């Protein structure tokens, strides 16, 4: 006997290789004990629905997709940079903004001054906004502390948000959170003249301590001329690899640093941004199955002009994921559906690729492809229910209210 059976649904399973979107029209989904027990067309159902499940819900043609997965965010931070945004639009130069205390270090300063509770309070509305658009799994990076205590507080706040959501304190039920230690995000001001000492601190003290405390699901670094060199990044990765921690990388966002190939050499889960990725980088990622995570919110907000090499990624068979990159500086975006629209319009992804990027391939970018990302028996019953006629609508509308409900581990938030 199943716990719940949804019928009169259109189901986008997002299983690759079959119909577009893995679609099943006039189908259903059944769950038992938080996992998917059955997905299929109505006519395959043997017997009376009422005899198969404790509860049967008819959803009137809604589309059911896997719960969305935002696989790259920096959503835990204090303060914001709206003043900086405004100053820029009033003609201030980068230098003037920096002198007025702007930029990434202003977020570091605000975050260092915030308690775990203050970080939770500041971040919960952003998490809630994602959940309100069907997100059931979120990756959250640290990286605005740049010292052990603050990085720890950021990771603890991220983990606490998962607990709070599961207690229904955000008004919608349940979310899965993965935490990434972004140790090499920026060089802290007091290490400006001795950056090697900061890299050593991250590798030899911060990472081992945070990993021991169980706060690190993956590591990440910002490999860029304004971030860290490939050599510094590699040193960090060697340490993570020795500790058995999965690797992700901010690569090729503003210039070609060979980050895609570096990530691939460490069999990274993902390399993210990738606007300046070379053909060699594409080939290296394809060879080991490193996922390409595209972040159109940052591309848009920075008014970048060179899109990532989507055609080459496709041709090489690199899995493409998509995320909000929700952060106060370069991507103040708390909408997965807007990320999908931006990816289609700016990067020319198809709506089906965009949805795969927020489901199946995002799961791979987190190493969770065995648990989530497609609708098939055995996976977690994380579902999104949409008031749409066609799945392409998810990427097509801008700012529309399309979500009817979401289920986490088989339990819906609002409807019953
Ligand atoms: N790449 C980015 O675009 C952001 N971090 C990163 O590694 C910038 C973050 C910020 O400006 O606060
Ligand atoms: Fe980022």
């Amino acid at each position: 006997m199943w716990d719940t059976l949804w019928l009169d649904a259109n189901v986008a399973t997002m299983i690759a290789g079959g119909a577009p979107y893995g679609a099943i029209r006039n189908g259903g989904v059944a769950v038992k004990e938080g996992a998917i027990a059955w997905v299929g067309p109505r006519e395959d159902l043997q017997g009376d629905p009422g005899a198969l499940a404790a509860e049967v819900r008819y959803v009137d043609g809604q589309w059911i997709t896997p719960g969305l997965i935002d696989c790259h965010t920096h959503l835990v931070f204090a303060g914001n940079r709206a003043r900086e945004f405004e100053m820029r639009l009033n003609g201030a130069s980068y230098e003037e903004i920096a002198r007025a205390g702007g930029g990434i270090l202003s977020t570091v300063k605000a975050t260092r001054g915030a308690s775990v509770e203050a970080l939770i309070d500041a971040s919960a509305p952003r998490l809630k906004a994602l959940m309100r658009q069907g997100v059931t799994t979120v990756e959250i990076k640290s990286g605005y502390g740049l010292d052990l205590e603050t990085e720890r507080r950021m990771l603890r706040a991220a983990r606490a948000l998962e607990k709070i959501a599961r207690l229904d304190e955000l008004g919608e039920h349940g979310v899965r959170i993965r935490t990434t230690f972004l140790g090499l995000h920026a060089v802290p001001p007091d290490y400006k003249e001795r950056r090697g000492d900061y890299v050593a601190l991250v590798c030899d003290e911060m990472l081992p301590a945070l990993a021991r405390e169980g706060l690190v699901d993956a590591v990440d670094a910002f490999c860029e001329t304004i971030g860290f060199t490939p050599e510094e990044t590699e040193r960090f990765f060697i340490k993570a690899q020795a500790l058995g921690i999965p690797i992700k990388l901010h690569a090729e966002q503003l210039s070609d640093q060979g980050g895609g190939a570096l990530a691939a050499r460490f069999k990274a889960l993902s390399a993210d941004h990738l606007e300046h990725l070379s053909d060699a980088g594409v080939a290296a990622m394809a060879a080991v199955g490193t996922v390409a995570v595209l972040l159109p919110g940052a591309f848009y907000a920075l008014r970048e002009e060179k899109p990532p090499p989507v055609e080459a990624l496709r041709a090489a068979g690199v899995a493409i994921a998509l995320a909000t990159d929700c952060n106060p500086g370069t991507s103040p975006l708390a909408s997965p559906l807007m990320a999908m629209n931006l990816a289609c319009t700016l990067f020319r992804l198809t709506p089906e690729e965009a949805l795969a990027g927020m489901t199946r391939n995002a799961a791979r970018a987190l190493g969770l492809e065995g648990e989530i990302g497609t609708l098939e028996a055995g996976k977690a019953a994380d579902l999104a229910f949409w008031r749409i006629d066609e799945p392409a609508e998810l990427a097509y509308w801008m700012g529309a209210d399309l979500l009817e409900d979401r289920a986490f581990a088989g339990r819906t938030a609002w409807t019953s």
Side-chain angles (χ1 to χ4, degrees), residues 11 18 51 70 96 102 126 153 171 193 196 212 232 274 291 385 401:
V11 185
D70 197 349
E96 285 167 314
R126 296 186 278 270
R153 282 204 307 284
E193 308 305 325
R212 216 179 309 119
E232 291 164 338
L274 302 176
V291 176
F385 297 77
D401 176 18

Side-chain angles (χ1 to χ4, degrees), residues 329-407:
T330 60
S331 189
L333 173 63
S335 164
L337 297 182
M338 193 66 211
M340 288 168 60
N341 178 270
L342 291 172
C344 291
T345 302
L346 300 174
F347 297 166
R348 312 312 287 164
L349 256 59
T350 67
E352 186 185 357
E353 286 173 325
L355 186 55
M358 279 265 165
T359 54
R360 183 178 71 237
N361 293 337
R364 278 187 57 180
L366 297 177
L368 294 175
E369 63 273 25
E371 294 163 55
I372 54 173
T374 56
L375 300 182
E376 50 192 312
K379 285 198 177 176
D382 295 356
L383 315 171
F385 297 77
W386 307 97
R387 291 180 299 263
I388 52 174
D389 295 323
E390 295 301 328
E393 285 184 66
L394 297 177
Y396 159 78
W397 294 103
M398 293 182 276
D401 176 18
L402 305 176
L403 188 75
E404 176 67 17
D405 205 344
R406 63 196 283 288

Side-chain angles (χ1 to χ4, degrees), residues 211-257:
R212 216 179 309 119
E213 292 165 35
L215 291 168
V216 181
D217 294 319
V219 299
D220 195 348
F222 186 30
C223 183
E224 193 50 71
T225 51
I226 59 167
F228 293 85
T229 66
E231 292 70 29
E232 291 164 338
T233 303
E234 180 166 9
R235 185 169 165 195
F236 182 46
F237 284 179
I238 289 169
K239 189 75 197 192
Q241 197 170 53
L243 293 169
I245 301 170
I247 287 166
K248 303 170 79 66
L249 184 64
H250 284 70
E252 269 76 288
Q253 181 185 7
L254 307 170
S255 62
D256 180 5
Q257 299 284 311

